[in-house]
Amino acid sequence: MKRINVEKCASILKEKDNILILTHAHPDGDTLGCGFALCRALLKAGKKARVICADEIPKKYDYLFCDISIPDFEEEYIVAVDVATEKLLGSLEKQYAGRVDLCIDHHPSNTGYADNLLLIADAAAAAETVFKVIKAMRIKVDKHIAECLFTGITTDTGCFRFASTTSNTYRAAAELIDLGAENAKINRIMFEQKPKSLAALERLAIEGMEFFCDERICLITLTQDMYEKSGSSEEETEAIPALTRQIEGVEIGLTIREKTDGTSKCSIRTYDSVDASKLAKNFGGGGHKQAAACEFKCDYKEAKKILLDKCRETLESGETVEEDVWE
Amino acid sequence: MKRINVEKCASILKEKDNILILTHAHPDGDTLGCGFALCRALLKAGKKARVICADEIPKKYDYLFCDISIPDFEEEYIVAVDVATEKLLGSLEKQYAGRVDLCIDHHPSNTGYADNLLLIADAAAAAETVFKVIKAMRIKVDKHIAECLFTGITTDTGCFRFASTTSNTYRAAAELIDLGAENAKINRIMFEQKPKSLAALERLAIEGMEFFCDERICLITLTQDMYEKSGSSEEETEAIPALTRQIEGVEIGLTIREKTDGTSKCSIRTYDSVDASKLAKNFGGGGHKQAAACEFKCDYKEAKKILLDKCRETLESGETVEEDVWE
């Protein structure tokens, strides 16, 4: 693995053609925004490129799709965007593990699985870095590319709210708006509007909130039964974990989801005092300092016990957050 | 009334001393951010200045207060910030109506009550304009001033989410962060953390949501009974109106509050298709295109009927939004 900078990344991409872009499973706005922005930029530069994802892309991201028809081609160069580990490729891992030529990412936890790695860890979103790469390639950022990149930035910062948001993030947003990104439209689609089924699920989630450790831990459990009652589904629950952090005094917010196969998955949200990615790492997961996730083979009741024990231990140890780059 | 520009405003303020700054009643982050930023800037320039407000300032704004001790003085020059009409001065109206020398505002509905008016209507927050004025006065924007101004901008844009947010808004935010504003801290205080009492009130509000006109109207009623049940109070309800707009398909979100004296107050939130300030104007209120408010002398049940009738009429007329500068 070789660490490269923006200029080197741009010059490599300029030389390549027939480029396959991999996004991570359970896709979010950043991986998709990066993927479709880079794809369109490469197409505009006269190259062949396409984006793939292991999972279905939620309907709300429809506007990211490129209107340029994408020709068939056999991939010659493989790029992963916003993908910290090969495991996050989901069902694509089998086919592409060990074959990724270039990775553009912002997770300090990136495992260095690609031949070339462009990692800017203080970027709030990988899209900030893809923006720099496209500019370094001297490809004109059109409205479509600007909207893809704005989507990546706004979703990965919770609409410019998270601690990861820097003045550079705001500046990139300003530039993208001037390049045509309709910020209000995108923020509305990503953050404001929710189907009634999700509103119903949120209501059940809030009703069932539990508090532990002098209310320093807030826990939401999402069961299959709750999805059924609300007419909602797991795909819709992206915004639920944020609810756990909202209550004054809460330092760790946990959202445990019961999966259809009886196993469980947990989203962890924290404030400055606790490192979410460290917590998740205990269970083979990962993420950022204030937002991370991990999976459990056991059911949600068992997962809840295991997690709460570790969270209690963390709060009692009084361990503070430090820069923690995984190997 | 004379319309003035930023430079003129700066040169007037440079000449004045013993300046009283008025903020609007039911103060929000923009009026307070403008007030305290301007106050500190004037103090730094060696002048005497202080900020007053008709109502108590909610505790969450504590960090806006200036640590420079404010000398006693008799006011010689009166400035209003983010105050669209004298009526909005609340209980201070009696004392200061007809006496305001300068107003810095961004409401197109400003009635022109001050001798000099600096009105930049396409600024998302009045704080954007106060920022320009302080720079034009060549006063160094320190961390405290930057945090006041950032607070004004982020609160009036719903954390950079509303349609009013432009690339200039993002650029001002970037500049203020570089000048020391701790964006993550401020956004957390303003948008993330809520007391359990408010969470309880929100739960009641969501449970009681009503829908009208094929679910194009969503209505929340907040009664004194609900405040009591949740342990919350009217001062805490600033964020409730946003809940009405969140449901997919809703074009008008209404939040009716029962006041202690039995009268009622309504917050109106809309999307592009409906002009909230026009709706509010029917009842003597005002505000912005997507967020406005009005008051009723009647109880909330009666107010609900009157409001719903007008909203139905508006939706049925299919009237579209146009630039509407009030006289």
Side-chain angles (χ1 to χ4, degrees):
Chain A
M1 190 270 288
K2 209 167 74 188
R3 286 286 288 263
I4 56 172
N5 63 16
V6 168
E7 289 66 37
K8 179 71 187 167
C9 180
S11 79
I12 289 174
L13 284 172
K14 271 203 257 182
E15 280 166 22
K16 303 295 176 183
D17 202 350
N18 299 322
I19 298 161
L20 181 70
I21 301 167
L22 307 180
T23 56
H24 64 68
H26 306 291
D28 61 16
D30 197 22
T31 198
L32 295 174
C34 288
F36 288 109
L38 187 60
C39 183
R40 184 169 172 106
L42 294 167
L43 292 171
K44 283 183 73 170
K47 299 174 188 297
K48 290 177 180 169
R50 74 170 161 264
V51 180
I52 59 170
C53 182
D55 296 314
E56 204 184 328
I57 296 172
K59 229 184 122 36
K60 65 175 176 178
Y61 294 112
D62 274 359
Y63 68 94
L64 299 181
F65 287 93
C66 202
D67 59 357
I68 301 177
S69 74
I70 297 180
D72 228 25
F73 64 86
E74 205 167 310
E75 64 248 24
E76 286 175 6
Y77 196 74
I78 300 175
V79 181
V81 284
D82 192 43
V83 182
T85 74
E86 288 177 318
K87 209 183 131 197
L88 294 172
L89 293 171
S91 63
L92 296 174
E93 186 188 358
K94 225 184 247 171
Q95 197 177 349
Y96 295 104
R99 289 181 55 203
V100 178
D101 297 295
L102 169 66
C103 173
I104 305 176
D105 193 16
H106 70 129
H107 296 87
S109 55
N110 191 292
T111 55
Y113 59 87
D115 284 352
N116 289 292
L117 172 63
L118 170 56
L119 175 73
I120 301 185
D122 61 4
E128 279 186 65
T129 304
V130 170
F131 187 21
K132 287 182 182 165
V133 170
I134 294 173
K135 286 193 285 187
M137 289 176 77
R138 309 221 173 275
I139 297 167
K140 196 179 162 333
V141 174
D142 60 19
K143 180 187 165 76
H144 183 93
I145 295 174
E147 298 215 319
C148 289
L149 296 172
F150 189 92
T151 301
I153 292 174
T154 194
T155 53
D156 249 29
T157 57
C159 203
F160 305 91
R161 190 178 303 185
F162 298 160
S164 55
T165 317
T166 68
S167 59
N168 287 333
T169 317
Y170 283 100
R171 227 168 256 123
E175 214 178 320
L176 291 167
I177 292 168
D178 287 339
L179 289 163
E182 290 184 42
N183 53 308
K185 175 194 80 180
I186 295 170
N187 286 337
R188 183 191 311 171
I189 296 171
M190 292 300 139
F191 299 104
E192 293 215 338
Q193 298 244 293
K194 53 187 159 200
K196 279 188 93 171
S197 53
L198 175 56
L201 181 68
E202 282 190 7
R203 187 188 306 187
L204 293 173
I206 292 168
E207 277 170 17
M209 265 184 183
E210 295 175 279
F211 294 88
F212 303 92
C213 284
D214 294 327
E215 316 210 325
R216 294 166 75 192
I217 301 173
C218 172
L219 183 139
I220 283 175
T221 310
L222 297 175
T223 63
Q224 292 296 325
D225 187 46
M226 288 162 76
Y227 295 139
E228 204 173 312
K229 263 190 199 150
S230 59
S232 182
S233 67
E234 205 198 309
E235 285 64 47
E236 281 193 331
T237 61
E238 218 176 296
I240 300 267
L243 301 176
T244 59
R245 278 211 328 182
Q246 285 182 347
I247 314 289
E248 213 167 54
V250 168
E251 293 170 58
I252 304 177
L254 304 171
T255 305
I256 301 183
R257 294 175 174 86
E258 178 186 24
K259 299 178 72 168
T260 45
D261 63 1
T263 65
S264 45
K265 200 183 146 181
C266 179
S267 297
I268 305 171
R269 296 290 181 274
T270 61
Y271 278 124
D272 302 344
S273 56
V274 181
D275 189 329
S277 72
K278 249 189 186 167
L279 263 173
K281 201 183 162 188
N282 288 300
F283 309 105
H288 301 282
K289 263 185 218 153
Q290 327 270 232
C294 53
E295 304 205 352
F296 294 88
K297 297 270 177 238
C298 55
D299 70 18
Y300 70 91
K301 288 176 190 162
E302 187 62 26
K304 180 175 151 180
K305 270 187 223 152
I306 300 169
L307 251 168
L308 280 175
D309 279 346
K310 183 51 83 181
C311 290
R312 271 195 203 99
E313 199 182 289
T314 304
L315 287 179
E316 279 159 16
S317 77
E319 209 179 317
T320 52
V321 170
E322 8 165 4
E323 206 59 52
D324 176 44
V325 183
W326 302 357
E327 301 313 319
Chain B
M1 189 271 288
K2 209 166 77 187
R3 287 286 290 261
I4 57 172
N5 63 17
V6 168
E7 289 66 35
K8 180 70 187 165
C9 180
S11 78
I12 290 174
L13 284 171
K14 269 202 259 181
E15 280 166 24
K16 303 295 177 187
D17 202 350
N18 299 324
I19 298 161
L20 180 70
I21 302 167
L22 308 179
T23 56
H24 64 68
H26 306 292
D28 61 14
D30 197 22
T31 198
L32 295 174
C34 287
F36 288 109
L38 187 61
C39 183
R40 186 172 172 103
L42 293 168
L43 292 171
K44 284 184 72 170
K47 297 172 190 297
K48 289 177 180 167
R50 70 168 165 266
V51 180
I52 60 170
C53 183
D55 296 315
E56 205 186 329
I57 295 172
K59 230 187 121 32
K60 66 176 176 176
Y61 295 111
D62 273 359
Y63 67 95
L64 298 181
F65 287 92
C66 203
D67 59 357
I68 302 177
S69 74
I70 297 179
D72 227 27
F73 64 87
E74 206 167 311
E75 64 248 23
E76 288 174 6
Y77 196 73
I78 301 175
V79 182
V81 284
D82 193 42
V83 182
T85 76
E86 289 177 319
K87 209 182 131 200
L88 293 172
L89 293 171
S91 62
L92 296 174
E93 187 189 359
K94 228 183 249 174
Q95 196 176 350
Y96 295 105
R99 291 180 54 201
V100 178
D101 298 296
L102 168 66
C103 174
I104 306 176
D105 193 16
H106 70 129
H107 297 89
S109 55
N110 191 292
T111 55
Y113 59 89
D115 284 352
N116 289 293
L117 173 63
L118 170 56
L119 175 73
I120 301 186
D122 61 4
E128 278 186 65
T129 303
V130 171
F131 187 20
K132 285 182 183 164
V133 171
I134 295 174
K135 287 193 286 185
M137 290 177 78
R138 307 222 173 274
I139 298 168
K140 198 181 161 330
V141 174
D142 61 17
K143 180 188 165 77
H144 182 93
I145 295 175
E147 297 214 321
C148 290
L149 296 172
F150 190 90
T151 301
I153 293 175
T154 194
T155 52
D156 248 30
T157 58
C159 201
F160 305 90
R161 191 178 302 184
F162 299 159
S164 54
T165 317
T166 67
S167 58
N168 288 333
T169 318
Y170 283 99
R171 228 169 255 121
E175 217 178 318
L176 291 167
I177 293 168
D178 287 340
L179 289 163
E182 290 184 43
N183 53 307
K185 176 194 79 179
I186 296 170
N187 287 335
R188 183 193 308 170
I189 297 171
M190 292 301 138
F191 300 105
E192 292 214 340
Q193 298 242 295
K194 55 185 156 202
K196 277 187 94 173
S197 53
L198 175 55
L201 182 68
E202 282 190 6
R203 190 190 301 187
L204 293 174
I206 292 168
E207 276 170 19
M209 264 183 183
E210 296 175 277
F211 294 88
F212 304 92
C213 283
D214 294 327
E215 315 208 327
R216 294 165 75 192
I217 301 173
C218 171
L219 183 139
I220 284 176
T221 310
L222 297 176
T223 63
Q224 293 295 327
D225 187 47
M226 287 162 79
Y227 295 139
E228 203 174 312
K229 262 192 198 150
S230 59
S232 182
S233 66
E234 205 200 311
E235 286 64 48
E236 281 195 331
T237 61
E238 217 178 295
I240 301 268
L243 301 175
T244 58
R245 275 209 333 181
Q246 285 184 347
I247 314 288
E248 213 168 58
V250 169
E251 291 168 61
I252 304 177
L254 304 172
T255 305
I256 301 183
R257 294 175 176 87
E258 179 186 21
K259 298 178 73 170
T260 44
D261 64 359
T263 65
S264 44
K265 200 183 148 181
C266 180
S267 296
I268 305 172
R269 296 291 181 273
T270 61
Y271 278 126
D272 302 343
S273 54
V274 181
D275 190 329
S277 72
K278 252 190 187 167
L279 263 171
K281 202 183 164 187
N282 288 301
F283 309 104
H288 301 282
K289 263 185 218 154
Q290 328 270 228
C294 53
E295 304 206 350
F296 294 88
K297 298 270 175 234
C298 55
D299 71 16
Y300 69 90
K301 287 175 192 162
E302 187 61 27
K304 180 174 151 180
K305 269 187 222 149
I306 300 170
L307 250 168
L308 280 175
D309 278 348
K310 183 50 82 181
C311 290
R312 273 195 201 98
E313 197 185 288
T314 303
L315 288 179
E316 278 160 17
S317 76
E319 208 179 317
T320 52
V321 171
E322 9 165 1
E323 206 60 49
D324 176 42
V325 182
W326 301 357
E327 300 317 317

